Amino acid sequence: GIQVEQSPPDLILQEGANSTLRCNFSDSVNNLQWFHQNPWGQLINLFYIPSGTKQNGRLSATTVATERYSLLYISSSQTTDSGVYFCAVEETSGSRLTFGEGTQLTVNP
Amino acid sequence: NAGVTQTPKFRILKIGQSMTLQCTQDMNHNYMYWYRQDPGMGLKLIYYSVGAGITDKGEVPNGYNVSRSTTEDFPLRLELAAPSQTSVYFCASRLWGFAEAFFGQGTRLTVV
């Protein structure tokens, strides 16, 4: 099956800093999503982005499908951005949605 | 729309007991998924379904069973609970094709 690798595994920032999270995948995909898992465990949809670029406030994402990676940008980080960020993909040959291991983000005041 | 609803939210089971985790969605989604998440880890796919009457194994299906008799419901059955099944379980659904998945709130299960 498809392999999904996220980097870095852990990231500690001061409030106000910017960051870039990366998701690499090993095969062509139909579907790519970014999720934020908050400290209460809830999974929140950030972006559905199988290709191209999207922005939502301080967050934006870019997927370069031909090169098999996606980037999540967080600008002017806030303490409420803390949590785990997951990338999930569905390969073109199947219906499974496969998750990476996540990036644990801690934003300190 | 309620979205994806999981019940119960919390449960403690004794070793060897059985239980069913319920998942219902009201968005008329074709695809439904069950994942487990162990502490500090990512989500692992247990089973998934692309429509009523069709189910398939994911990465970690051992010890679990599923059924999909309707579009709305996708219950997950644990037959003989083991401590290794202590985890948080998430259900998700989405439409066929290019569409985002939506997750339920999760069920925290402890087997003692």
Side-chain angles (χ1 to χ4, degrees), chain A residues 1-44:
Chain A
I2 195 167
Q3 304 299 312
V4 183
E5 294 182 358
Q6 291 187 242
S7 60
D10 298 280
L11 186 58
I12 300 174
L13 301 173
Q14 288 298 123
E15 204 168 21
N18 302 328
S19 61
T20 301
L21 283 58
R22 187 176 180 103
C23 173
N24 291 335
F25 42 95
S26 61
D27 208 342
S28 301
V29 298
N30 282 335
N31 181 344
L32 189 147
Q33 285 184 252
W34 283 98
F35 294 90
H36 175 215
Q37 188 168 40
N38 64 23
W40 297 270
Q42 186 181 4
L43 283 161
I44 299 164

Side-chain angles (χ1 to χ4, degrees), chain A residues 29-31 33 35 37 40-43 45 47-48 50 84 86 90 94-102, chain B residues 31 33 35 37 40-45 48 50 57-59 90 94 97-103 105 108:
Chain A
V29 298
N30 282 335
N31 181 344
Q33 285 184 252
F35 294 90
Q37 188 168 40
W40 297 270
Q42 186 181 4
L43 283 161
N45 289 24
F47 294 102
Y48 169 74
V84 184
F86 288 106
E90 178 198 33
S95 310
R96 301 179 174 201
L97 193 61
T98 301
F99 277 73
E101 291 298 316
Chain B
Y31 291 7
Y33 306 86
Y35 293 87
Q37 184 181 29
M41 307 294 285
L43 279 74
K44 302 295 183 189
L45 183 63
Y48 66 103
V50 299
K57 296 178 181 178
E59 303 169 76
F90 288 98
R94 71 175 181 90
F98 295 86
E100 63 184 306
F102 294 89
F103 279 77
Q105 300 278 59
R108 187 174 297 274

Side-chain angles (χ1 to χ4, degrees), chain B residues 39-96:
Chain B
M41 307 294 285
L43 279 74
K44 302 295 183 189
L45 183 63
I46 305 171
Y47 273 95
Y48 66 103
S49 168
V50 299
I54 305 169
T55 62
D56 207 348
K57 296 178 181 178
E59 303 169 76
V60 290
N62 291 345
Y64 306 94
N65 280 301
V66 293
S67 60
R68 184 96 183 269
S69 57
T70 66
T71 299
E72 295 78 19
D73 300 309
F74 191 39
L76 178 71
R77 178 85 178 160
L78 283 71
E79 290 294 347
L80 291 170
S84 60
Q85 293 177 306
T86 294
S87 192
V88 179
Y89 292 82
F90 288 98
C91 178
S93 74
R94 71 175 181 90
L95 279 171
W96 171 86

